[in-house]
Amino acid sequence: MRAKVNQDINISDYNGVWVISEQNLGKLHNVTLELIGEGRKLADKINKEVSVVVLGENIENIVKQLEEYPVDNIICIDKPELKHYNTDIYANCIDEIIKEMKPEIVLFGATSIGRDLAPRVSAKVGTGLTADCTSLEIDDIDGKLLQTRPAFGGNLMATIICPKNRPQMSTVRPGVMQKAQKIENKIAKIIIPNIDKNNLISKVMFKELLINDKPRVNLQDAKIIVSGGRGLKTPEGFKLIEELAEALGGVVGASRAAVDSGWIDHSHQVGQTGTTVRPELYIACGISGAIQHLAGMSESKTIVAINSDPNAPIFKVCDYGIVGDLYKIIPELIEQAKNN
Ligand code: FAD
C-alpha cells in the first residue's frame, strides 16, 4: 500500500495518547500493560489523557481488566466481525476513529498483529510510523514525541520525530517498557464510537484458528534465564544449559548464532530480533555480547557471563564474569545449585 501523507492538518486539533490493546483468549497481552505504563508517562508530561482502544467481540472481560489500570478512557468497538483479528476490518475501524477523535499519539505493540496493523493504519490516516521503538520521550522544547529505535542492524540508535503530521504513531517492542501498576479506584470512562458498517467488510475470510500447543518458553516473565551461544559448539551443549536452568528454577535462552545453527528453537532467542528480557538473573554462557544480543538483555538485574575469552564484550556489561571453559564451569554451578 502506498501511503499518502496528509499535509492538510492543524496539529493543535490533536489531543491525548492512545494505546491499541491486544488480547489473546480473553487475557490482555503484556505489551498492552507496558504501553499503558508508557502512555501514562507521556500523557502526564503533556497534561493529556490516556485512552485504550479495544476491538473484539464480547470484550466486557477485557474492559474489566483494563479498568484496573490508570487509563482515562476505554474506547470499545465490540462487533462480531472483530471476533478474530482481520487486518482490513481492524485497520478500517482504527482509521475511522482516529479521523473522528484525533489523538496526538497512537501506540501499538511491535507484535505480529501490531506490525501488521500499524503500517496499514498509518497509510490510511496519512501519517508516519516509527516501527520497533525501544524508547519514547516527549521533547522538552516543542512537545513532539521522540521515538528511538535501533537502526543499521542495531549498530546505532536513531531518534525519529514526526514533524508535520498527526497522530505520531509508533510500534513499541514488547518487554522493553515497564508495565503499568494497578490503581485502587477506577477512573476510566467508557466510550463507544459509531462505526460505519462499510468498514466492517473484508475480502479476507477467517477460516480456522490453529493453536500451536507445543509448550513455548516464557522468557518475558522468567525471573532467571540461562542462555547458551555459539560457544557451546554443539546442540548437545544445550542439555547442560537446560540442567543449570532447571537447577536454578529458570528457563533457557539463546543467542541468534545458536538459533541460526539449528540448535534450539527461535522462541528461545534473546535480543534485537528475539525477545527482550529483564529477569532478576541472566547467565550468558559462551555468548560474546554482540550489540544485538545486549539490546535484548542488558536491562537484566544481575548479569553473569561465562566466556573463555577475557576480552569478550559481554564482560563489559556483566556484574559477575567468569573467564574459562563453560564445559568445566557449568557442571560446577549445577553441583552448587543442587546442593543449596
Ligand atoms: P559468537 O559471537 O560467535 O560468540 C561465541 C562466544 O563463545 C565467544 O565469545 C567465545 O569466546 C565463546 N566461547 C567459545 N568457546 C567457549 C567455551 N568453551 N567456553 C566459554 N566460552 C566459549 N544476536 C542475538 O543473540 N540476538 C538477536 O536478536 C540478534 N539479532 C540480530 C539482528 C541483526 C539485524 C543482526 C545483523 C544480527 C543479530 N544478531 C543477534 C547476531 C549478533 O550480531 C551476533 O552474531 C550473535 O549474537 C553472536 O552469537 P554468540 O555470541 O552466540 O556467538
Side-chain angles (χ1 to χ4, degrees):
M1 189 189 303
R2 204 127 161 247
K4 191 165 174 290
V5 173
N6 181 8
Q7 304 274 7
D8 193 19
I9 64 149
N10 185 354
I11 284 184
S12 60
D13 291 344
Y14 289 75
N15 230 309
V17 178
W18 279 17
V19 167
I20 308 298
S21 89
E22 245 186 76
Q23 62 266 6
N24 191 7
L25 304 173
K27 192 171 174 281
L28 277 174
H29 194 300
N30 275 345
V31 77
T32 301
L33 301 180
E34 292 160 14
L35 294 180
I36 293 172
E38 190 63 16
R40 183 79 263 169
K41 193 186 87 189
L42 298 172
D44 287 349
K45 180 113 194 245
I46 48 178
N47 239 333
K48 300 281 168 66
E49 294 194 334
V50 180
S51 305
V52 182
V53 179
V54 193
L55 301 98
E57 189 192 23
N58 299 330
I59 52 178
E60 302 83 2
N61 173 36
I62 293 295
V63 172
K64 251 196 209 129
Q65 291 174 50
L66 283 169
E67 282 177 325
E68 298 182 338
Y69 292 92
V71 300
D72 299 295
N73 306 298
I74 303 175
I75 304 170
C76 306
I77 313 181
D78 192 335
K79 304 273 177 203
E81 292 85 347
L82 298 169
K83 179 170 181 185
H84 297 288
Y85 174 67
N86 174 305
T87 311
D88 296 337
I89 301 180
Y90 272 57
N92 289 345
C93 291
I94 297 173
D95 171 49
E96 184 177 342
I97 58 172
I98 285 180
K99 284 179 179 153
E100 195 187 310
M101 299 163 82
K102 298 191 169 46
E104 192 173 350
I105 293 172
V106 181
L107 308 177
F108 298 76
T111 56
S112 319
I113 287 182
R115 285 168 200 234
D116 180 56
L117 182 59
R120 282 173 171 82
V121 173
S122 80
K124 279 174 174 290
V125 175
T127 188
L129 171 72
T130 306
D132 213 18
C133 295
T134 53
S135 154
L136 297 171
E137 295 288 336
I138 299 287
D139 190 325
D140 284 332
I141 297 165
D142 59 11
K144 285 198 184 84
L145 182 65
L146 305 173
Q147 305 162 92
T148 302
R149 52 152 296 157
F152 293 102
N155 288 305
L156 62 86
M157 300 303 283
T159 296
I160 294 163
I161 55 162
C162 181
K164 293 196 179 128
N165 299 95
R166 290 295 176 274
Q168 303 162 96
M169 287 191 17
S170 326
T171 63
V172 177
R173 189 178 295 183
V176 176
M177 310 295 184
Q178 296 280 6
K179 281 188 204 165
Q181 299 291 319
K182 287 190 179 177
I183 50 168
E184 301 250 307
N185 301 317
K186 56 181 180 184
I187 52 169
K189 206 166 83 193
I190 308 291
I191 299 175
I192 302 177
N194 280 328
I195 296 292
D196 181 341
K197 62 180 185 328
N198 292 320
N199 281 335
L200 298 170
I201 300 168
S202 169
K203 290 185 192 126
V204 180
M205 253 182 61
F206 175 83
K207 228 177 142 196
E208 191 184 357
L209 176 66
L210 296 171
I211 296 177
N212 180 358
D213 50 10
K214 242 173 58 189
R216 271 180 70 85
V217 58
N218 185 354
L219 287 174
Q220 256 170 27
D221 291 334
K223 297 262 181 287
I224 298 175
I225 299 176
V226 184
S227 279
R230 191 163 16 218
L232 291 171
K233 299 197 181 78
T234 68
E236 286 72 39
F238 269 100
K239 292 213 176 83
L240 208 52
I241 300 289
E242 270 165 29
E243 219 182 308
L244 179 57
E246 201 182 313
L248 294 170
V251 301
V252 173
S255 73
R256 177 161 156 180
V259 171
D260 286 352
S261 304
W263 299 347
I264 189 160
D265 186 73
H266 177 259
S267 58
H268 292 264
Q269 186 179 314
V270 171
Q272 188 186 319
T273 41
T275 305
T276 303
V277 298
R278 45 166 82 219
E280 299 288 313
L281 174 63
Y282 188 87
I283 307 182
C285 310
I287 292 178
S288 58
I291 190 158
Q292 297 89 354
H293 189 81
L294 301 183
M297 46 63 77
S298 57
E299 294 293 313
S300 306
K301 200 158 175 205
T302 302
I303 299 172
V304 176
I306 305 169
N307 200 304
S308 51
D309 174 6
N311 298 315
I314 191 83
F315 287 129
K316 294 207 176 92
V317 298
C318 72
D319 300 285
Y320 300 96
I322 307 174
V323 178
D325 181 358
L326 63 88
Y327 283 100
K328 291 203 178 110
I329 294 158
I330 296 180
E332 283 182 36
L333 292 178
I334 294 170
E335 195 63 30
Q336 292 281 338
K338 281 184 177 165
N339 290 335
N340 279 320

